[in-house]
Amino acid sequence: MKVVVSVGGSVLAPDLEPDRITEYARAIETLDEAGHTLGIVVGGGPTAREYITTARDLGANEIELDQLGIAVTRLNGRLLIAALDDRAAPTPAESYEEGREAIRRGDIPVLGGIVAAQTTDAVAAAFAEYVGADLLVYATSVPGVYDADPNDDEAATRFDELGASELVDVIADIEMDAGSSAPVDLLAAKIIQRSGIRTVVLDGTDPERVVRAVEDDEFDGTEIVPEA
């Protein structure tokens, strides 16, 4: 099965400690050894947000902030590449074409951000569409898609399953400026809708949950169901 896994920066490297990154590398290697074709997209997380906040206070515009965020995602990507050793392409792919070529060589591509005004949520969805993935997994810091921010609203309800168009409706009002965070953003949702790729959003703080979702189709999260 061809799988693209999007790992949030707050999940992969919340504090830049090596243990979590090593655990994620082992989970990816487990899927690789099971015969799955993989692409990995890494977010910027709290480090990117700290840089963006400081740069915004210094007067940087939104495009400059996006470019700063992209740089941090690629730094996080290099950490994961280091942990994956020779199974990963040696540097983060800076385009979808470069990522696909890595897959064709038999390497595991690791991508961060690609262009300004596009989050790594959208990069993962676009890359999954570009390579014809069978499954897209978002490993986030929350266990699925909610009707409100569960960190701010105790009454927020999680969806166990959503159609792709329903996903677009649920998150249509998500803020899209640099540094905003959500399990899946609006552009990603629209790409998922048009591509028809089955998508799972889950709590990725334990990398083994990603392995179980891919290998056994077992997960506690939200499934985005393709529509005819």
Side-chain angles (χ1 to χ4, degrees):
M1 183 162 61
K2 187 177 290 184
V3 183
V4 171
V5 180
S6 175
V7 186
S10 60
V11 170
L12 179 71
D15 48 17
L16 296 181
E17 289 296 324
D19 289 348
R20 175 69 65 81
I21 298 167
T22 299
E23 289 172 359
Y24 252 98
R26 288 173 180 166
I28 292 165
E29 288 166 350
T30 296
L31 294 174
D32 178 51
E33 291 166 1
H36 299 287
T37 299
L38 301 170
I40 312 299
V41 179
V42 176
T47 302
R49 284 189 283 276
E50 288 175 9
Y51 270 93
I52 286 168
T53 297
T54 298
R56 182 178 281 124
D57 290 343
L58 292 170
N61 63 45
E62 288 296 313
I63 296 298
E64 291 170 327
L65 298 178
D66 284 337
Q67 291 169 336
L68 185 59
I70 288 170
V72 176
T73 65
R74 292 175 180 170
L75 286 174
N76 285 344
R78 284 183 178 274
L79 293 176
L80 183 58
I81 288 169
L84 286 168
D85 198 17
D86 60 356
R87 281 306 298 123
T91 58
E94 297 187 6
S95 69
Y96 301 117
E97 294 87 350
E98 188 179 339
R100 184 171 64 180
E101 285 305 311
I103 289 176
R104 288 175 173 170
R105 291 195 309 267
D107 293 335
I108 300 172
V110 177
L111 293 77
I114 298 295
V115 296
Q118 187 181 80
T119 68
T120 50
D121 290 350
V123 169
F127 189 58
E129 182 178 40
Y130 189 71
V131 301
D134 303 295
L135 177 66
L136 171 59
V137 178
Y138 284 98
T140 76
S141 57
V142 293
V145 178
Y146 288 74
D147 60 358
D149 186 342
N151 296 315
D152 297 331
D153 186 349
E154 293 182 357
T157 301
R158 190 186 72 186
F159 298 97
D160 293 330
E161 182 179 296
L162 284 170
S165 61
E166 292 175 312
L167 176 66
V168 171
D169 291 340
V170 166
I171 62 174
D173 59 349
I174 287 181
E175 190 174 52
M176 293 293 290
D177 63 349
S180 62
S181 61
V184 181
D185 69 27
L186 183 57
L187 178 56
K190 289 184 175 181
I191 296 171
I192 291 167
Q193 181 184 32
R194 80 177 183 189
S195 67
I197 296 172
R198 180 171 174 260
T199 303
V200 170
V201 182
L202 51 75
D203 180 350
T205 51
D206 180 357
E208 283 302 310
R209 293 174 184 148
V210 175
V211 175
R212 290 194 295 270
V214 175
E215 283 281 85
D216 305 320
D217 198 23
E218 293 181 1
F219 58 90
D220 183 22
T222 303
E223 179 178 5
I224 313 302
V225 182
E227 298 167 345

